[in-house]
C-alpha cells in the first residue's frame, strides 16, 4: 500500500517553490548573522541558487524555456561576482589578516 | 520514485544550507555548500532542465567552490570565528525575525496562488530530450544581445580582479640631484 502511494505521488512545482523560499531565507539569515566575509559570500550563493531553483520551477510550470535562459545568465553573473568579490576579500584580508565584517565597516582603508 | 528523489535532494539542500551558516570553519562551510549545490542539480534534473544541472555541477560545484577553497587556503585556514558571542546586541534574533518574515511573505504568496501553480499543458508537452536544443535556440535568438553582453561582463570582471589582486609596486625613492 505504502509503496504504491510513494510510486503514485509526484512532486508538485509548488513544493520546489516552497523549498526555494526556505533556502532563500536561510541564506538571508546567514548574511545577516555571520561575520566572516567568505561565509557571507557563500550565503549569497545560497540565495542565488534559491532564485535559480524557482526560475526552473516556473519554467517547468509554463513550459517556457525563457526561465532556463535566465538561469544561464544568472550563472554567468554569479561567476563574475565571485571572481570580483573574492578579489576584494583577498586584498582586504591581505592588509588586515583575520578581519571580520565589523572590522571593515569604514569606507576608508 | 520521484517522491523519494525529491525528499533525498531536499534533505541534501537543507542540510547543506544549514551547514553553511552554522559551521565555524570556512572549509567545512564550503563543503556544505557543495552538498547544497548538488541537491539543487538533482532538482534541476527532476524539473527536466538537464543542461542546467550539468552546468550547475561543473560551474558551481566545480569552479566556484574550488575558487572559494583556494582563497581560504591562500588566506590561512585558522580564520575561524567565535560563534558563541553575539557581537551586536540582538543581532541573531533580529536576523531570525527578518529571515522568518521573508519566508512568511514568499510562502504566503505561493500558497495564495497555488491554484495557478500547476504544470500546464504546455509544460507537460516539453520533452527533456529537447532541452539543450530549446535552450540554445532561446539564448542565441531571443537573448543573443544579452549573451554578447555577458562576454563583456566577464572580461571586465577578469581585468578588475587582476587590478584588485595585484600588489602595487613600491614608489621609487626620489633621486637626489
Amino acid at each position: 500500500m505504502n509503496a504504491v502511494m510513494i510510486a503514485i505521488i509526484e512532486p508538485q512545482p509548488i513544493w520546489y517553490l516552497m523549498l526555494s523560499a526556505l533556502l532563500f531565507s536561510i541564506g538571508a539569515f546567514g548574511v545577516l548573522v555571520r561575520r566572516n566575509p567568505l561565509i557571507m559570500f557563500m550565503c549569497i550563493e545560497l540565495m542565488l541558487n534559491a532564485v535559480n531553483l524557482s526560475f526552473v520551477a516556473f519554467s517547468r510550470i509554463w513550459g517556457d524555456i525563457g526561465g532556463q535562459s535566465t538561469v544561464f545568465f544568472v550563472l554567468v553573473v554569479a561567476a563574475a561576482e565571485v571572481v570580483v568579490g573574492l578579489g576584494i576579500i583577498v586584498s582586504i584580508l591581505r592588509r588586515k589578516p583575520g578581519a571580520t565584517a565589523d572590522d571593515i565597516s569604514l569606507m576608508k582603508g | 520514485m520521484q517522491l523519494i528523489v525529491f525528499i533525498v535532494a531536499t534533505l541534501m539542500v537543507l542540510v547543506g544550507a544549514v551547514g553553511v551558516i552554522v559551521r565555524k570553519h570556512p572549509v567545512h562551510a564550503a563543503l556544505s555548500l557543495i552538498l547544497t549545490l548538488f541537491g539543487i542539480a538533482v532538482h534541476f534534473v527532476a524539473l527536466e532542465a538537464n543542461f542546467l544541472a550539468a552546468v550547475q555541477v561543473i560551474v558551481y560545484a566545480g569552479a566556484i567552490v574550488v575558487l572559494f577553497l583556494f582563497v581560504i587556503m591562500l588566506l590561512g585556514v585558522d580564520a575561524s570565528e567565535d560563534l558563541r558571542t553575539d557581537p551586536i546586541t540582538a543581532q541573531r534574533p533580529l536576523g531570525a525575525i527578518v529571515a522568518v518574515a521573508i519566508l512568511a511573505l514568499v510562502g504566503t504568496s505561493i500558497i495564495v496562488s497555488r491554484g495557478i501553480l500547476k504544470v500546464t499543458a504546455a509544460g507537460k508537452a516539453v520533452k527533456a530530450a529537447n532541452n539543450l536544443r530549446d535552450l540554445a535556440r532561446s539564448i542565441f535568438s531571443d537573448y543573443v544581445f544579452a549573451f554578447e553582453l555577458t562576454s563583456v561582463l566577464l572580461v571586465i570582471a577578469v581585468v578588475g580582479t587582476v587590478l584588485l589582486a595585484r600588489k602595487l609596486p613600491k614608489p621609487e625613492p626620489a633621486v637626489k640631484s
Side-chain angles (χ1 to χ4, degrees):
Chain A
M1 180 63 201
N2 263 337
V4 174
M5 287 282 287
I6 288 173
I8 288 174
I9 296 175
E10 255 187 46
Q12 297 298 313
I14 194 168
W15 301 0
Y16 293 100
L17 294 176
M18 290 306 282
L19 172 64
S20 149
L22 193 57
L23 188 58
F24 189 89
S25 55
I26 290 175
F29 181 69
V31 171
L32 289 173
V33 167
R34 295 301 298 259
R35 280 163 292 142
N36 189 335
L38 278 167
I39 293 184
M40 291 170 75
F41 222 64
M42 291 179 201
C43 293
I44 293 175
E45 297 301 316
L46 284 184
M47 293 160 79
L48 281 171
N49 268 280
V51 176
N52 280 353
L53 183 62
S54 71
F55 267 126
V56 174
F58 279 121
S59 165
R60 171 87 180 119
I61 291 173
W62 304 114
D64 186 350
I65 200 74
Q68 296 186 20
S69 310
T70 313
V71 172
F72 181 78
F73 291 123
V74 171
L75 280 171
V76 174
V77 173
E81 171 235 341
V82 165
V83 168
V84 174
L86 286 180
I88 293 174
I89 289 175
V90 166
S91 68
I92 287 173
L93 291 189
R94 197 185 273 157
R95 191 172 296 181
K96 296 181 181 176
T100 63
D102 298 329
D103 302 329
I104 46 181
S105 57
L106 296 177
M107 286 190 78
K108 63 177 185 178
Chain B
M1 192 61 206
Q2 286 182 324
L3 185 68
I4 297 169
V5 171
F6 179 84
I7 292 171
V8 171
T10 303
L11 279 179
M12 281 168 74
V13 169
L14 291 181
V15 169
V18 171
V20 171
I21 63 171
V22 300
R23 293 313 293 259
K24 196 158 58 169
H25 205 291
V27 174
H28 297 170
L31 296 179
S32 303
L33 185 65
I34 291 186
L35 189 64
T36 299
L37 300 175
F38 266 105
I40 299 266
V42 172
H43 279 313
F44 281 178
V45 173
L47 287 167
E48 306 192 348
N50 298 350
F51 175 70
L52 286 179
V55 170
Q56 173 91 2
V57 172
I58 294 171
V59 172
Y60 258 117
I64 290 184
V65 176
V66 168
L67 203 59
F68 270 113
L69 288 173
F70 189 73
V71 168
I72 293 168
M73 298 300 171
L74 189 70
L75 297 174
V77 289
D78 54 333
S80 59
E81 64 183 278
D82 185 11
L83 286 181
R84 279 165 300 180
T85 56
D86 229 0
I88 304 171
T89 313
Q91 186 186 13
R92 278 177 204 171
L94 285 178
I97 289 172
V98 170
V100 170
I102 291 173
L103 180 62
L105 192 66
V106 181
T108 311
S109 61
I110 291 170
I111 289 172
V112 164
S113 57
R114 67 187 177 282
I116 57 167
L117 291 179
K118 295 196 171 79
V119 181
T120 57
K124 279 177 188 153
V126 173
K127 288 195 180 67
N130 294 338
N131 176 252
L132 185 53
R133 197 178 66 191
D134 292 344
L135 190 60
R137 196 165 281 165
S138 167
I139 287 176
F140 290 107
S141 63
D142 293 345
Y143 301 102
V144 66
F145 188 61
F147 181 77
E148 297 297 334
L149 279 181
T150 55
S151 62
V152 178
L153 179 72
L154 285 174
V155 171
I156 292 173
V158 170
V159 173
T161 308
V162 170
L163 271 179
L164 275 174
R166 196 179 57 158
K167 276 184 183 147
L168 287 178
K170 285 187 179 153
E172 296 275 326
V175 183
K176 282 183 181 172
S177 57

